[in-house]
Amino acid sequence: MLAGILIATLWPSPWAQAAATALLWVGMLVPVVRGLSLSRPAGLLRIRPLDVLFGVALGGMLRLVQGWIESAAGGSGALPSYPLIDGGLDSAWWLTAAVAPVVVAPVVEELFFRGVVLVSVFTALRRPLGSAGAGLAAVLASTVLFVVVHASDGTASVDQVVSAGLVGLVSALLVTLTGRLGGAVLVHVVYNASFLALAVAGTFWA
């Protein structure tokens, strides 16, 4: 995370942020691969039809709540938008604004924050605290770390931090209650994809 911040801060390139994010994801994937190769709860990587329902419903509701929080914090309430270059989107837009946040980020981040952090904390604390106490500690730990990583560059506003916290909390609770990552990944996908759709609309039609 620190190396990514240094790259984003010190490298004067339009690719600096993408490189920093990629480095962060690689750092997350290492413990994911290691952890899941050693042990994982039965059914953790399965996806059930109910997970799709959870993902769509909760991801959509979280995006609505994010809009309300932004407005309450003094935001304009206008649709987000992407900068245009000569009337079109940047050539790297499809990668940095579409594929990365909608396809890659939800999978990598949920595998790390929920598949590794949440499961590891729960497993470590289940005997001393019991299942309920360990579950609560695991949900809080994965949520706090999720927020810290998303606010680490110092550019996140208060409403963005609160919204990230809600996404992390809902995803963590979903994994804790279902024992599966599928719903959390889909919540994250729908939440990020809804921003993409709103920003495209705000860029070309607002």
Side-chain angles (χ1 to χ4, degrees):
M1 185 172 71
L2 292 174
I5 292 172
L6 286 174
I7 289 174
T9 304
L10 302 177
W11 186 24
S13 167
W15 289 97
Q17 190 60 50
T21 302
L23 181 62
L24 179 63
W25 287 340
V26 169
M28 289 180 183
L29 282 174
V30 171
V32 166
V33 172
R34 177 68 176 160
L36 295 184
S37 67
L38 292 175
S39 175
R40 64 176 178 267
L44 182 69
L45 301 181
R46 293 178 185 166
I47 297 179
R48 300 281 175 83
L50 191 58
D51 296 328
V52 177
L53 177 61
F54 284 144
V56 172
L58 293 173
M61 283 192 287
L62 282 167
R63 178 55 64 192
L64 286 174
V65 170
Q66 179 272 324
W68 295 334
I69 293 172
E70 182 181 353
S71 296
S76 66
L79 288 174
S81 62
Y82 296 111
L84 294 175
I85 300 173
D86 295 328
L89 294 168
D90 181 82
S91 59
W93 173 88
W94 66 273
L95 178 63
T96 59
V99 174
V102 176
V103 179
V104 181
V107 175
V108 173
E109 292 180 7
E110 293 307 319
L111 281 171
F112 178 74
F113 292 109
R114 262 54 78 175
V116 173
V117 175
L118 185 144
V119 170
S120 297
V121 173
F122 178 80
T123 303
L125 297 179
R126 181 171 49 188
R127 285 186 179 178
L129 297 183
S131 293
L136 178 60
V139 166
L140 291 176
S142 69
T143 301
V144 168
L145 187 57
F146 182 79
V147 172
V148 167
V149 168
H150 283 79
S152 61
D153 64 356
T155 62
S157 60
V158 173
D159 60 284
Q160 289 172 331
V161 171
V162 172
S163 296
L166 288 174
V167 172
L169 180 62
V170 168
S171 296
L173 287 171
L174 201 50
V175 173
T176 302
L177 294 173
T178 66
R180 300 186 300 274
L181 277 173
V185 171
L186 291 171
V187 164
H188 208 147
V189 167
V190 171
Y191 182 79
N192 288 2
S194 60
F195 177 86
L196 175 69
L198 291 171
V200 169
T203 300
F204 293 105
W205 299 299

